[in-house]
Amino acid sequence: MLSSHAAGDLVRYSELFPAMRALDISVERAAEVLAAMSVFLDDRSSSFENWLERKLDGLADGIRQPTESWLRTMRDGGPRTKPRDPATVWTHMGYVRPTLLAWSQRYDHLREVTRDDVLAALDELTGSRRSNLLVSLRSLFTFARKTGKIFRNPTSGIRVGQHPYGLAQRLNQDDVDRAAEAATTPAARLVLMLAAVHAARTGAIRTLLLDDVDLSNRRLTIAGRTRPIDEFSHQILLEWLDHRRTRWPNTANPHLLVNQMSAHGTGPVSTIYFAKKLCGRAATLERLRVDRQLEEALAHGPDPLHLASVFGLDPKTAIRYAENARVLLATSIEDQDPASRDEPKGPQPP
């Protein structure tokens, strides 16, 4: 690519891609090197622009324009608005697009949509689909009202109601044992330990840094909260760090968890990496995390302040776990207390 390069010339991605793929060389790594040399031009079309064009296709102009502004502002940010994660933008549009397409058949502009139209769209859905649609529509109309694209917000005052949470049950010991047996590598045992012992979310595990592990003082910082390292966690961490040092001795990645891909850079492992862990098993990483918090609530009493202190939960989540544990404790007492059972009435035979 550089054999005929002259001063001022740029190597375009459209030229780089076929040449590198023909030699089975990483295009991304070659592009990073050329970019560091200031001779690279990424002429690819934006994936967001392509996605946006597909999702806005079929909408009336008066609905398409405020929707496009809403999506771009969520992605890029704006005055008094922080940029959102691209996945959030995709999710919001996925919820509202069918409704916007239906409205485009009757209306030319978003300002024509009434409160009755919103209620009619919500009445066709139930459960989380209904609440998700209302949240996304409320975000769209709030933005349109704030930017002067509509005169009134038709979603004002509409409430879905509190989401009903089911009663979480403890995992069976057999499921936990099978999950432990499936963790056959140092990385898998590390992830399992962080979820099952320290109730760490996958996002927190991904972003965990080497500096967050203090083996000499037996302290581990997860999502900004420092926790003591028990003997079991200490052994798992030592095993993983020894494997990491042997497998990737020259990596500059500061994250605790690395794999074959991330060891060549400085970013965290991908979310797909976690999707493979315990796939198809009852004791998933999320179930193990929930089970650990329930175990704490059952062992130390259903105290939301204690749960918030140990795991860094927000007040509502801590209260929900405490109430869940209280129900489980009451059910267990009833099952164990013979006096609570219905006694047979009338005279009994000798």
Side-chain angles (χ1 to χ4, degrees), residues 57-253:
D57 185 40
L59 300 184
D61 288 342
I63 296 178
R64 176 190 177 112
Q65 292 176 5
T67 303
E68 180 178 356
S69 299
W70 170 58
L71 295 172
R72 289 188 183 278
T73 302
M74 272 199 296
R75 177 180 180 267
D76 302 326
R80 304 173 121 184
T81 304
K82 294 182 179 180
R84 307 289 293 277
D85 189 281
T88 302
V89 184
W90 302 336
T91 302
H92 274 303
M93 188 55 181
Y95 291 146
V96 302
R97 187 171 187 269
T99 301
L100 296 180
L101 286 173
W103 287 343
S104 296
Q105 302 300 316
R106 309 197 307 268
Y107 303 130
D108 296 325
H109 202 282
L110 196 64
R111 69 170 64 99
E112 299 178 69
V113 177
T114 65
R115 179 185 177 88
D116 291 338
D117 293 321
V118 175
L119 291 174
L122 295 174
D123 287 342
E124 296 177 359
L125 305 175
T126 59
S128 61
R129 295 177 59 199
R130 184 175 188 271
S131 60
N132 290 336
L133 174 60
L134 178 58
V135 169
S136 298
L137 286 177
R138 186 179 292 141
S139 175
L140 169 60
F141 282 108
T142 300
F143 169 82
R145 176 69 180 83
K146 184 172 67 173
T147 54
K149 294 178 172 58
I150 61 175
F151 302 120
R152 64 180 62 183
N153 186 346
T155 64
S156 296
I158 299 178
R159 298 288 183 266
V160 172
Q162 186 176 2
H163 178 72
Y165 292 98
L167 182 67
Q169 299 288 342
R170 293 292 311 279
L171 283 170
N172 294 327
Q173 187 59 43
D174 291 342
D175 294 331
V176 177
D177 292 341
R178 280 191 286 268
E181 293 172 358
T184 57
T185 65
R189 286 190 283 272
L190 173 69
V191 172
L192 187 72
M193 177 271 292
L194 291 172
V197 177
H198 299 279
R201 295 181 180 273
T202 55
I205 298 175
R206 287 182 67 230
T207 57
L208 202 60
L209 301 176
L210 288 170
D211 291 342
D212 293 327
V213 181
D214 185 358
L215 291 178
S216 59
N217 294 315
R218 297 289 186 101
R219 312 295 289 177
L220 175 64
T221 303
I222 302 176
R225 184 168 295 271
T226 302
R227 301 172 50 82
I229 298 178
D230 58 280
E231 185 59 32
F232 174 73
S233 300
H234 187 256
Q235 293 300 321
I236 295 296
L237 284 167
L238 287 177
E239 178 191 26
W240 163 250
L241 291 172
D242 182 64
H243 172 79
R244 185 186 192 277
R245 185 167 47 250
T246 303
R247 180 68 176 81
W248 300 287
N250 299 317
T251 181
N253 196 311

